[in-house]
């Protein structure tokens, strides 16, 4: 089911080459711009040239460019005296229809015409930009490009940049939307790295995205009719929207007629602009891409989606969003965060709750990346534990996959994909699958930032097979280079992840050693208070009588203080005891080490004699 390794490699190679070509424009910016500022010009110009070149193509069966058809339609409707106040948006629809895209340009200028008149480049270029439809102008404004135009004018760079992007090898109409997504991704990474910024904050590598997509569609019951399957996909931290693009691509591989609608929210204005541009180019609705902080400014209140796919930030505090988040928490079930609030130092589980609130009841499914703290951080009854309890007791936690270390551009810590499924209780009730895929990877020949490994085709297939089987077992395969890969699956009862935290009290004593009583009851000695975590399925009284009372005969459990907790001890569950080395093997190893040492010393002494 997974996307072929050869296809991913080929698309990645082309993207690298094309991104190199585009980034070479930086040579013209040198001096007037610092290296970390190159992307402020190159990325928006890449968007503009992509729009321009798409409009310079012809519709099937037409001898005119799309731009020419727009100009004809514009001339026709410009002379029309509208009777209704809403004619302007109607005219915009006519112009989009003429263009065959969700955007258009009513300016007479093309890059060829701009390049033919260096003297008037500033005025003509602004006229060209102002001819774009409002959605494109919004993108350029969000990316702060109009300010860069003024800066290039002052530095007398504007004409050269137009010439650079008008070169014959810079025709961007030849790229597919998938290729363009990879190119944007590569350019954003270069910009981020030169800016000393987190590239991983903007996008996740495609190998991980494709794995997430495959996990989401495995064993999923699609809503389909004679027109194909229908589904909606949401990314609450979409970056440049590549997760949405990949998920749409994956669904169309399953069904060419698939009707897929994507929605996303992003807080970074620059990457938001790229996401909107990418959406417009491949025919999506840019109005489904919303700007703002997902935690404190939810742009999709009341929406429900079939799929959610996301890589939210982790290890980032949510103090800025706290007033709004805490206010919504107080709404209870009417808000997104009713189960609990995590520590203010890490808001990743708030994103998980947001995603769950956006899933369709009974059918919605989410793949979301988290770090290890979401598995175990927080004591019983803490915000983190209560969030885990909420997910597990509702029987929505389908599976967790541990990814190999060094899988991401910006971190080498251990990360996990959580699969949340609101239809799980009908398929695999009361159990949870944990998959350790930490040894399922192929080493990269050259690292990119912190990313040193890839989840190539066989790796993804192995993980997806383990998930599809949904049973305990070990899955192994061998890569072309002879390296063995493996992943281990464990299916456990979800009740085993819960525990009861007991407060064990011991009595104060009189001077003579007798138990101090007050109104006939033992008085607890706070200095001797202890805690005990016991499995959720254990009866407290039986456990206490068996495990504690024989050793502390006057103690008791204060049941009014008992708390329920949930944690997922992933490492503990997959720990494999290697056994002790035999004494004979130890002796052989020591003997071999001594032999090596003596040979090394002998060589050193010989060198000393030769010198003497």
């Amino acid at each position: 089911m997974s996307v072929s390794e050869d296809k991913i490699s080929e698309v990645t190679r082309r993207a690298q080459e094309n991104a190199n070509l585009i980034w070479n424009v930086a040579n013209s910016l040198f001096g007037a711009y610092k290296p970390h500022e190159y992307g402020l010009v190159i990325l928006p110009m890449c968007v503009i040239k992509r729009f321009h070149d798409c409009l310079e193509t012809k519709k099937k069966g037409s001898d005119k460019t799309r731009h020419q058809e727009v100009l004809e339609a514009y001339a026709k409707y410009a002379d029309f005296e509208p009777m209704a106040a809403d004619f302007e948006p109607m005219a915009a629809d006519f112009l989009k229809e003429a263009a065959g895209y969700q955007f258009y340009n009513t300016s007479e200028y093309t890059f060829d015409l701009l390049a033919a008149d260096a003297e008037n480049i500033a005025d003509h270029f602004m006229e060209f930009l102002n001819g774009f439809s409002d959605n494109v102008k919004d993108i350029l404004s969000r990316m702060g490009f109009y300010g860069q135009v003024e800066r290039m004018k002052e530095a007398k760079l504007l004409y050269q940049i137009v010439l650079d992007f008008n070169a014959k090898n810079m025709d961007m109409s030849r790229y597919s939307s998938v290729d363009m997504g990879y190119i944007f991704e590569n350019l954003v990474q270069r910009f981020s790295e030169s800016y000393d910024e987190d590239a991983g904050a903007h996008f996740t590598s495609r190998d991980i995205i494709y794995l997430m997509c495959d996990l989401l569609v495995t064993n999923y019951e699609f809503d389909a009719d004679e027109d194909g399957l229908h589904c909606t996909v949401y990314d609450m931290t979409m970056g440049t929207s590549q997760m949405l693009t990949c998920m749409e691509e994956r669904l169309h591989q399953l069904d060419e007629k698939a009707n897929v609608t994507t929605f996303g929210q992003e807080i970074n204005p620059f990457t938001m602009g790229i996401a909107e541009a990418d959406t417009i180019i491949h025919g999506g609705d840019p109005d489904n891409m919303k700007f703002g902080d997902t935690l404190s400014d939810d742009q999709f209140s009341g929406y429900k989606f079939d799929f959610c796919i996301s890589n939210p930030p982790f290890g980032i505090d949510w103090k800025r969003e706290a007033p709004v988040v805490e206010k919504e928490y107080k709404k209870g079930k009417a808000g997104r965060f009713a189960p609990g609030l995590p520590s203010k130092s890490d808001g990743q589980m708030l994103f998980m709750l947001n995603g769950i609130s956006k899933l369709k009841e009974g059918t919605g499914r989410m793949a979301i990346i988290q770090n290890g703290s979401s598995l175990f951080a927080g004591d019983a009854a803490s915000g983190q534990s209560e969030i885990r309890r909420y997910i597990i007791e509702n029987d929505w936690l389908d599976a967790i996959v541990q990814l190999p270390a060094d899988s991401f551009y910006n971190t080498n810590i251990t990360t996990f994909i959580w699969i949340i499924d609101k239809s799980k209780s009908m398929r695999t009730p009361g159990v949870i699958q944990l998959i350790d895929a930490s040894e399922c990877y192929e080493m990269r020949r050259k690292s990119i930032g912190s990313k040193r490994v890839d989840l190539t085709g066989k790796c993804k297939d192995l993980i997806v097979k383990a998930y599809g089987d949904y049973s305990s077992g070990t899955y192994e395969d061998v890569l072309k280079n002879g390296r063995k890969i493996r992943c281990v699956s464990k299916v456990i009862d979800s009740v085993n992840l819960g525990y009861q935290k007991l407060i064990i009290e011991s009595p104060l004593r009189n001077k003579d050693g007798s138990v101090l009583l007050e109104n006939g009851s033992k008085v607890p000695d706070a200095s001797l208070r202890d805690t005990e975590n016991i499995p959720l399925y254990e009866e407290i009284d039986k456990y206490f009588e068996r495990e504690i009372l024989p050793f502390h005969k006057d103690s008791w459990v204060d049941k009014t203080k008992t708390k329920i907790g949930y944690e997922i001890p992933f490492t503990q569950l997959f720990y494999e005891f290697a056994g002790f080395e035999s004494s004979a093997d130890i002796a052989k190893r020591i003997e071999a080490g001594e032999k090596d040492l003596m040979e090394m010393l002998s060589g050193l002494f010989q060198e000393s004699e030769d010198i003497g």
Side-chain angles (χ1 to χ4, degrees), residues 87-159:
F87 176 76
E88 189 171 339
M90 289 173 59
D93 289 338
F94 290 138
L95 296 176
K96 289 176 183 177
E97 183 179 350
Y101 287 112
Q102 291 295 310
F103 62 93
Y104 55 83
N105 192 316
T106 58
S107 165
E108 64 178 293
Y109 290 102
T110 63
F111 265 70
D112 282 342
L113 290 176
L114 292 171
D117 188 354
E119 187 176 342
N120 296 297
I121 186 63
D123 291 339
H124 292 172
F125 189 69
M126 283 306 301
E127 186 174 336
F128 166 71
L129 294 183
N130 290 331
F132 274 115
S133 48
D134 288 344
N135 51 11
V136 175
K137 287 186 282 191
D138 287 345
I139 290 170
L140 299 180
S141 177
R142 201 182 298 284
M143 299 178 83
F145 185 63
Y146 294 107
Q148 299 307 320
V149 173
E150 290 299 316
R151 183 173 173 182
M152 285 189 285
K153 282 165 52 179
E154 292 176 4
K156 300 187 179 353
L157 281 175
L158 182 57
Y159 181 67

Side-chain angles (χ1 to χ4, degrees), residues 379-380 499-502 531-536 543 563 567:
D379 201 357
Y499 65 92
Q500 304 168 84
K501 183 175 182 178
L502 310 183
T531 62
E532 186 89 6
N533 290 346
I534 71 169
L536 192 60
Y543 181 91
K563 296 179 180 178
E567 65 178 15

Side-chain angles (χ1 to χ4, degrees), residues 298-468:
D298 179 19
Q299 294 291 309
F300 292 99
S301 178
Y303 282 67
K304 297 289 183 179
F305 305 104
D306 295 296
F307 295 108
C308 175
I309 181 169
S310 195
N311 178 14
F314 40 75
I316 304 297
D317 71 59
W318 52 279
K319 295 174 184 175
R320 179 183 59 193
E321 297 91 346
V324 175
V325 170
E326 289 169 350
K327 182 178 180 180
E328 187 153 350
Y329 167 68
K330 292 175 183 177
K331 294 179 182 177
K333 293 182 179 180
R336 293 173 289 160
F337 310 123
L341 300 179
S343 164
K344 277 199 174 72
S345 62
D346 189 356
Q348 63 179 323
M349 295 191 84
L350 290 176
F351 286 100
M352 189 179 304
L353 287 178
N354 174 77
I356 290 172
S357 75
K358 297 288 188 284
L359 295 178
K360 288 183 178 178
E361 298 303 326
T363 60
R365 182 180 278 195
M366 174 169 68
I368 185 170
I369 294 173
Q370 302 275 284
N371 70 11
S373 69
S374 294
L375 299 171
F376 55 80
D379 201 357
S382 68
Q384 291 99 316
S385 179
E386 286 298 286
I387 293 171
R388 289 190 291 270
R389 180 179 182 180
Y390 170 70
I391 298 170
I392 294 170
E393 291 189 353
N394 275 290
D395 207 6
W396 293 334
L397 179 53
D398 191 39
I400 299 176
V401 179
Q402 178 179 339
L403 295 173
D406 304 322
S407 293
F408 288 81
Y409 297 118
N410 63 328
T411 181
N412 56 12
I413 66 172
T414 303
T415 49
F416 302 80
I417 300 173
W418 290 50
I419 304 296
I420 307 295
D421 188 350
K422 287 201 171 179
S423 65
K424 177 188 175 299
S425 60
M426 295 181 285
R427 183 169 51 85
T428 53
V431 295
I432 294 169
Q433 184 183 27
L434 304 177
I435 300 175
D436 179 3
S438 60
E439 296 299 319
C440 196
Y441 62 85
E442 185 167 349
M443 293 296 299
R444 292 185 59 86
R445 292 177 182 173
K446 183 179 179 182
S447 62
I448 305 177
S450 296
K451 184 173 178 60
R452 296 178 177 84
V453 304
D454 283 330
L455 299 177
T456 50
K458 280 193 174 183
C459 300
K460 290 196 298 294
D461 289 346
L462 200 64
I463 298 168
V464 172
K465 176 171 175 48
Y467 175 64

Side-chain angles (χ1 to χ4, degrees), residues 27 70 94 100 186 195 201 248 252 261 268 292 306 326 328 356 383 391 424 481 533 548-549 553 561 606:
N27 293 329
V70 169
F94 290 138
N186 193 293
Y195 212 106
E248 184 174 5
H252 279 120
T261 310
N268 183 297
D306 295 296
E326 289 169 350
E328 187 153 350
I356 290 172
I391 298 170
K424 177 188 175 299
N481 61 10
N533 290 346
I548 297 174
L549 196 58
K553 65 177 182 178
K561 296 178 181 177
Q606 184 62 48

